[in-house]
Amino acid sequence: MSSLLRSREIRLAARPSGQPGAENFELATVDVPEPGAGQIVVRNTWMSVDPYMRGRMDDVPSYIPPFALGAALEGSALGEVVASRAESVPVGATVTHFLGWREYALLDAAAATVVDPALAPPEAWLGPLGTTGLTAYAALTRTAPVQEGDVVFVSAAAGAVGSVAGQLARKLGASQVIGSAGGPAKTKKLLDTFGYDAALDYRQGALDEQLAQAAPDGIDVYLDAVGGDHLQAAIGALRTGGRIALVGAISGYNAESPTPGPDNLFRAAAKEATLRGMLVSSHFDLFPEWIGKAAGWLADGSLRTEQTVVDGIEQAPGAFLGVLSGANTGKMLVRLEAAR
């Protein structure tokens, strides 16, 4: 780098109790070191905020370490390489990596993935072509595979994963695709944009009754991103041999005490159903297969996606809090404009 770079970053200022707020974050400015051998510096142009990050704010054992107090947060990001001491990743390359929440990132080249910006818009690599798209694909092909003629139910259907999952279920042969979302604007979006046959508004009456009306003969597959009443309703509606992919449980992420589980769990046993958890990191081997399909669908318009975009690193905490409260349609992204 020809001159010293300064980078703003968002740090974890305090661990939340229950619902997080602006007081849990702080904005800091740091110098960006010169890259060492095998390292690169990336000017981040887009970063992702995702529900799973709420769990990393707590100092509890999990599948991924908690965020460190006083340190920059982490998450998926995309940007341009502005300095490189790695032959495999030259200056000017577009890469994805895991050091978001900052304007510039210094990292080992091996931790970055070079992507083709001509294949799809840059931001698509953090949404439909990124881990959220892969989550939908792995959930519906491996964890709870959709078979020809299945009735499929997807929760958080207007979100980053759900907006892809409904369309994917149809491509995999589902006969009916049902989604849940909060509010009339989102349920309308499910029907008009994301290809759902029926849309349930979880804010309007008992979900189990709405699901029974939409699928009177039951469902075969459920992609669970919510937990709570959604999971209970899905278990109640399952047909024999039904399959549930346990992807998330956003309804309980801010709970200050253990949240109740479904009280009808034995019905899953009686129906010989499968409830299987999934972590997208266990399915990265599917990335080439998924990108090969999804890039073509994006190009021909048969996979429709949306983003909710906020501008500026200083707005990232608000964007994240918005995800937790359901403020986004499709993928929530932060567009960064770091000084060049």
Side-chain angles (χ1 to χ4, degrees), residues 89-171:
V89 185
V91 169
T94 300
V95 299
T96 56
H97 59 89
F98 206 61
L99 291 183
W101 294 89
R102 66 204 80 191
E103 292 174 316
Y104 288 90
L106 171 70
L107 65 151
D108 291 338
T113 300
V114 177
V115 300
D116 182 1
L119 195 61
E123 61 270 24
W125 294 96
L126 297 181
L129 300 186
T131 54
T132 48
L134 182 66
T135 297
Y137 188 64
L140 297 182
T141 60
R142 281 185 174 173
T143 309
V146 174
Q147 299 170 2
E148 193 74 29
D150 279 349
V151 175
V152 177
F153 175 40
V154 177
S155 60
V161 174
S163 58
V164 173
Q167 298 171 82
L168 178 59
R170 179 58 46 76
K171 289 178 179 293

Side-chain angles (χ1 to χ4, degrees), residues 216-256:
D217 297 324
I219 65 172
D220 301 287
V221 171
Y222 171 51
L223 192 159
D224 186 27
V226 175
D229 61 342
H230 281 67
L231 181 55
Q232 175 144 337
I235 291 173
L238 275 182
R239 294 171 173 166
T240 299
R243 301 165 301 285
I244 294 177
L246 301 170
V247 175
I250 196 170
S251 65
Y253 283 175
N254 292 322
E256 298 183 63

Side-chain angles (χ1 to χ4, degrees), residues 152-157 177-181 187 190 196-201:
V152 177
F153 175 40
V154 177
S155 60
V177 186
I178 304 163
S180 71
T187 52
L190 297 188
Y196 281 88
D197 298 299
L200 316 182
D201 185 347

Side-chain angles (χ1 to χ4, degrees), residues 10-104:
I10 301 294
R11 296 176 176 175
L12 182 63
R15 298 198 187 280
S17 177
Q19 178 79 31
E23 68 276 8
N24 298 114
F25 305 90
E26 62 181 357
L27 180 65
T29 302
V30 299
D31 295 331
V32 181
E34 295 281 345
Q39 291 186 316
I40 59 175
V41 174
V42 181
R43 180 177 64 85
N44 288 335
T45 53
W46 293 89
M47 60 164 274
S48 174
V49 290
D50 301 282
Y52 80 88
M53 294 174 176
R54 173 61 186 87
R56 297 193 70 188
M57 297 179 78
D58 298 327
D59 189 10
V60 295
S62 185
Y63 65 92
I64 188 170
F67 293 132
L69 273 175
L73 282 73
E74 299 173 340
S76 297
L78 175 141
E80 177 188 352
V81 176
V82 295
S84 175
R85 291 191 59 193
E87 292 184 4
S88 59
V89 185
V91 169
T94 300
V95 299
T96 56
H97 59 89
F98 206 61
L99 291 183
W101 294 89
R102 66 204 80 191
E103 292 174 316
Y104 288 90

